[in-house]
Amino acid sequence: MATQLTTDAGQPALDWQDRRLPLADTADLRAALVEANVQTLLMVYVHLTHDEAMLATFQNYIKPPFAMPGTDIPEEYQQELREKLRHVLTTPGAAREDAPSKALMQRMMSVSVGEPVEDEFLPLLMDQIGFERSTPRREIAGRKPAPAGFKVLVIGAGLTGLAASIKLEEAGYEQVVIEKNPEIGGTWYENRYPGVGVDTPSHFYSYSFEITPEWTTYHPVGADMQKYLLHVTEKYDLRRHIRFETTVVSLAYDDEAAMWDVTVRGVDGTEEVLRVNAVINAHGPVNRWKWPNIPGFDTFRGVRMHTATWDPAVDLRGKRVAVIGTGASGAQLVPAIAGEVKDLTVFMRSCHWVIYNPEIAHEVPPGMKFALRHIPHFREWFRFRVYWFAADGLFANVLKDPEWPVDSPSVSALNEGMRQYALAHLDAKFADRPDLLEKLTPDFPIFSKRIILDNGWFDALKRDNVTLESGGIAEITETGIRMEDGTTYEVDVIVCATGFDVANMLGKLEVHGIGGRSLRDEWGHDDPRSYMGVTVPGYPNYFLTVGPNSAPNHAAGQNLISEVQVNYIIECLDWANASDKRAVEPRRDAFEAWNTQIDTRMQDMIWTHPKANSYYNNSKGRIFLSWPYRLVDYWNEMRGPKKDHFELH
């Protein structure tokens, strides 16, 4: 069934190019100018007029988050801005048709966020915020067309796999996308538990080439993400490339033909071998969910569920429910169900740092939606503002200060400041519950593992029908959970919010490269290594996404990583094609040098603090997941391959 994003009134959402001037001087417009973000309105006004005097008027009043002291923008300045912008928006010929210069754009960006936006960030920002739209590759003058019959197989139709399909189409490559589920979406199709949502702000967590204003909250709920991805699938007609309910079983490289033989299995168990030129593995790290390893787990006679395989038919009302796990999924689930269950016992192995973000549950008001839908450039400038405060500005928090005491529960003065900010929220919430305060106070640095955004999590733990249990579980019985101290909890339902087997990046997939070599043998269960998170020597034209040491664990930005990795992969294929070669493979020495650089760099990062332990580490403690530099650095690295680091076949 076709899915299209719509406005609250059920009308089709406007595409970016549909915003035209002049606008009608309506009550909706006037209301939007009052309700919409002032800093973004300022950017729109200057974008349309190039009036730098207004920047000078506002620049002393706009501060970044956590800046001290804060200064409110005077109301008379805000009113003057609204009136001037209303005139420009509604008066024929009042807006300039030429775009601001790069120098003016940079000044605008700096004023908008209250701190300097340096030159090095501009190419990324112009690309990711949507101000510059790249020409589809097949339309680039002088580019050699993709070879006829050259086929790329994409594993997975989630956020990354769909991006790969769109860009492969734009580049003219034949493709097939293999999806194990009956529908697209990946994580956002599978995860349907109550309260499921996204840490990344809504107005950035989307493709830069498909920005939408149709978010219901400032942080997207899972259903909104799935609706967005369905919209993208229909708009770009991607279903014609996708084979649903099909699993990739194995990949085997044919050295002589420079082809991959891909064994796929249908839902009926029938297997087939597809012969393709290249493979993009976009199956993602968060679909291999895992049950807890607890004695007696299989003996429980009640209902067992994992958050990643939630059964909406299970009625929790009036039930005694156990939730095992207090990471991001558990912290979202518990507030969503605490009010309807009889008793809720939450089993915590280790606590997490929690940050209060008052916007996380806020609905996007009508005025903001109107501005995002109808006012030219508002969408892009708001996306810039959201991105800036959720991205590389946070990087300093994960960088160790070499002069900072190694036994401190923080790694720098800035990191300690964020720790105190989180502690203040914790202390305020549990001033009357010292028992919970003690259980929930972490002893490791903030940002050394995934942060939880408080969307009712702390309040839920204080409810009379909720118990937080931090002791060890001895076993699961037929009727409940017995603790190591002998305490027994009788429950009707056990929900496991126990995460995913992230380190096993192959999952059940078998990959055999040149000479039959096995990637599973080389990686083992949980020690994956690659070159730049995308390629591996010995496996020509086999490309990873969200591969080893490419995850943006200091900030929001998985959508950015997905886009830039897809860009890099197609640049590699285009280079091989332009060179009349069939395949591209990283050199062994480049791979080894890169991994040595990564391991050395990790000693400067928060994730190697003595008390840091998370799913970013493998069983030996190596940080296999995190990208130890900034997002802008990865964006730059992904512009195209360093040709002396590769061999062409």
Side-chain angles (χ1 to χ4, degrees):
M1 181 176 68
T3 299
Q4 183 176 26
L5 291 179
T6 59
T7 67
D8 297 333
Q11 299 300 314
L14 293 175
D15 203 353
W16 69 273
Q17 66 265 37
D18 293 329
R19 293 166 288 168
R20 297 284 187 264
L21 293 179
L23 300 179
D25 192 355
T26 63
D28 285 341
L29 174 61
R30 290 174 180 253
L33 293 174
V34 172
E35 201 166 28
N37 177 263
V38 172
Q39 292 91 334
T40 307
L41 291 175
L42 173 64
M43 295 303 104
V44 171
Y45 172 76
V46 178
H47 197 119
L48 294 174
T49 65
H50 304 190
D51 182 358
E52 296 192 51
M54 285 294 278
L55 292 177
T57 298
F58 277 78
Q59 64 184 3
N60 292 327
Y61 298 98
I62 299 176
K63 306 293 182 183
F66 308 112
M68 298 295 287
T71 303
D72 292 333
I73 301 172
E75 182 58 37
E76 59 268 28
Y77 291 168
Q78 297 187 45
Q79 186 59 32
E80 178 188 8
L81 169 63
R82 294 183 182 109
E83 285 301 314
K84 286 187 172 182
L85 180 54
R86 184 179 63 84
H87 172 77
V88 172
L89 293 174
T90 60
T91 304
R96 293 179 56 154
E97 295 184 0
D98 57 323
S101 67
K102 287 292 179 66
L104 178 53
M105 290 284 281
Q106 185 173 6
R107 187 184 174 199
M108 293 165 67
M109 290 176 180
S110 299
V111 171
S112 172
V113 295
E115 59 187 357
V117 175
E118 304 295 347
D119 292 352
E120 65 174 328
F121 290 98
L122 291 182
L124 176 152
L125 293 171
M126 297 297 286
D127 169 65
Q128 281 295 308
I129 308 310
F131 287 126
E132 291 183 350
R133 295 176 178 268
S134 58
T135 303
R137 279 184 172 84
R138 67 166 74 214
E139 298 176 14
I140 296 175
R143 172 183 174 268
K144 186 176 181 180
F150 190 102
K151 179 175 284 190
V152 181
L153 183 140
V154 180
I155 306 175
L159 178 75
T160 308
L162 295 176
S165 182
I166 291 168
K167 294 304 176 180
L168 286 168
E169 177 71 21
E170 288 184 358
Y173 286 99
E174 293 185 30
Q175 61 172 290
V176 59
V177 180
I178 306 298
E179 171 53 52
K180 71 182 191 309
N181 291 318
E183 184 53 278
I184 63 93
T187 293
W188 305 113
Y189 171 80
E190 295 173 358
N191 285 263
R192 306 179 189 184
Y193 60 86
V196 62
V198 187
D199 293 348
T200 303
S202 303
H203 296 89
F204 177 62
Y205 198 63
S206 57
Y207 301 129
S208 63
F209 53 84
E210 191 60 37
I211 303 173
T212 176
E214 302 305 326
W215 300 109
T216 59
T217 55
Y218 282 111
H219 282 253
V221 297
D224 278 357
M225 274 309 306
Q226 179 66 356
K227 185 178 180 181
Y228 169 77
L229 293 174
L230 285 167
H231 160 75
V232 169
T233 300
E234 303 304 335
K235 178 175 178 178
Y236 290 88
D237 192 20
L238 300 181
R239 292 186 186 277
R240 59 197 168 95
H241 300 304
I242 304 173
R243 290 181 56 169
F244 290 105
E245 295 185 289
T246 305
T247 302
V248 178
V249 177
S250 65
L251 312 173
Y253 189 68
D254 182 330
D255 301 14
E256 184 175 347
M259 300 281 285
W260 283 96
D261 290 321
V262 182
T263 300
V264 300
R265 180 183 299 137
V267 70
D268 61 355
T270 303
E271 292 190 353
E272 176 186 358
V273 177
L274 306 179
R275 197 162 174 83
V276 299
N277 301 85
V279 175
I280 300 176
N281 189 340
H283 68 186
V286 289
N287 64 28
R288 297 177 294 280
W289 47 274
K290 59 182 180 181
W291 295 110
N293 184 20
I294 301 174
F297 186 71
D298 292 333
T299 67
F300 181 65
R301 293 188 301 190
V303 176
R304 291 183 315 177
M305 291 191 293
H306 194 285
T307 50
T309 56
W310 187 266
D311 183 357
V314 175
D315 186 357
L316 298 181
R317 289 175 295 181
K319 298 291 198 306
R320 299 168 299 173
V321 179
V323 173
I324 301 175
T326 53
S329 298
Q332 291 176 343
L333 172 68
V334 167
I337 65 173
E340 66 180 60
V341 304
K342 179 181 179 182
D343 294 303
L344 179 58
T345 307
V346 182
F347 295 86
M348 179 177 70
R349 184 178 64 177
S350 62
C351 56
H352 289 249
W353 281 107
V354 177
I355 288 182
Y356 175 58
N357 180 348
E359 279 194 347
I360 189 167
H362 284 189
E363 293 187 358
V364 181
M368 273 294 290
K369 284 190 176 180
F370 183 96
L372 288 159
R373 290 168 181 155
H374 299 288
I375 296 179
H377 312 303
F378 188 94
R379 196 179 303 179
E380 291 80 6
W381 277 111
F382 189 66
R383 180 178 168 97
F384 158 71
R385 183 172 175 79
V386 168
Y387 168 77
W388 187 258
F389 293 133
D392 282 337
L394 300 174
F395 183 74
N397 278 292
V398 299
L399 194 61
K400 292 178 183 175
D401 178 351
E403 304 300 320
W404 202 253
V406 294
D407 58 351
S408 171
S410 55
V411 297
S412 67
L414 178 63
N415 185 246
E416 176 63 21
M418 289 299 298
R419 176 175 172 271
Q420 292 300 325
Y421 174 78
L423 281 174
H425 177 57
L426 187 68
D427 292 342
K429 281 291 184 182
F430 297 107
D432 59 340
R433 291 291 303 273
D435 57 322
L436 290 177
L437 181 63
E438 181 180 1
K439 288 180 179 179
L440 292 166
T441 302
D443 63 354
F444 53 85
I446 189 169
F447 286 104
S448 64
K449 63 180 181 180
R450 186 174 178 179
I451 292 289
I452 289 174
L453 298 181
D454 190 2
N455 187 17
W457 166 237
F458 279 172
D459 288 336
L461 294 177
K462 295 176 67 176
R463 292 179 60 97
D464 291 340
N465 68 328
V466 177
T467 300
L468 179 64
E469 176 60 76
S470 59
I473 297 175
E475 66 172 336
I476 293 177
T477 68
E478 292 183 352
T479 58
I481 298 175
R482 186 175 66 82
M483 308 302 293
E484 291 176 350
D485 66 2
T487 303
T488 299
Y489 295 93
E490 299 292 316
V491 298
D492 305 305
V493 180
I494 296 176
V495 180
C496 297
T498 45
F500 302 87
D501 190 7
V502 177
N504 178 20
M505 286 193 168
L506 286 175
K508 297 180 180 179
L509 180 65
E510 294 297 329
V511 181
H512 294 276
I514 292 176
R517 63 192 302 157
S518 166
L519 191 55
R520 186 173 302 281
D521 289 346
E522 294 179 26
W523 280 2
H525 174 75
D526 67 352
D527 196 26
R529 294 178 182 267
S530 68
Y531 172 76
M532 295 302 303
V534 180
T535 58
V536 184
Y539 302 85
N541 279 9
Y542 174 64
F543 301 100
L544 305 166
T545 63
V546 202
N549 296 115
S550 69
N553 291 141
H554 73 278
Q558 182 51 54
N559 53 307
L560 182 151
I561 298 297
S562 296
E563 281 192 36
V564 300
Q565 287 181 333
V566 167
N567 175 79
Y568 184 86
I569 291 165
I570 297 178
E571 287 292 319
C572 287
L573 294 177
D574 276 2
W575 171 43
N577 177 41
S579 304
D580 294 322
K581 299 294 185 179
R582 299 178 296 177
V584 58
E585 173 195 3
R587 294 171 55 93
R588 171 64 59 175
D589 57 349
F591 164 85
E592 292 177 350
W594 175 246
N595 279 275
T596 297
Q597 178 181 332
I598 288 290
D599 289 345
T600 301
R601 171 68 169 180
M602 284 300 176
Q603 301 312 306
D604 300 330
M605 308 307 296
I606 195 171
W607 307 301
T608 54
H609 185 279
K611 290 195 173 182
N613 185 36
S614 72
Y615 64 84
Y616 307 161
N617 310 63
N618 68 5
S619 59
K620 297 179 181 179
R622 188 177 76 84
I623 313 301
F624 73 92
L625 188 65
S626 306
W627 169 250
Y629 301 97
R630 302 168 304 168
L631 290 174
V632 67
D633 299 317
Y634 200 65
W635 188 90
N636 286 328
E637 292 285 354
M638 292 292 101
R639 292 304 86 205
K642 295 178 179 177
K643 296 179 180 179
D644 58 339
H645 289 188
F646 286 85
E647 296 177 352
L648 295 178
H649 299 287

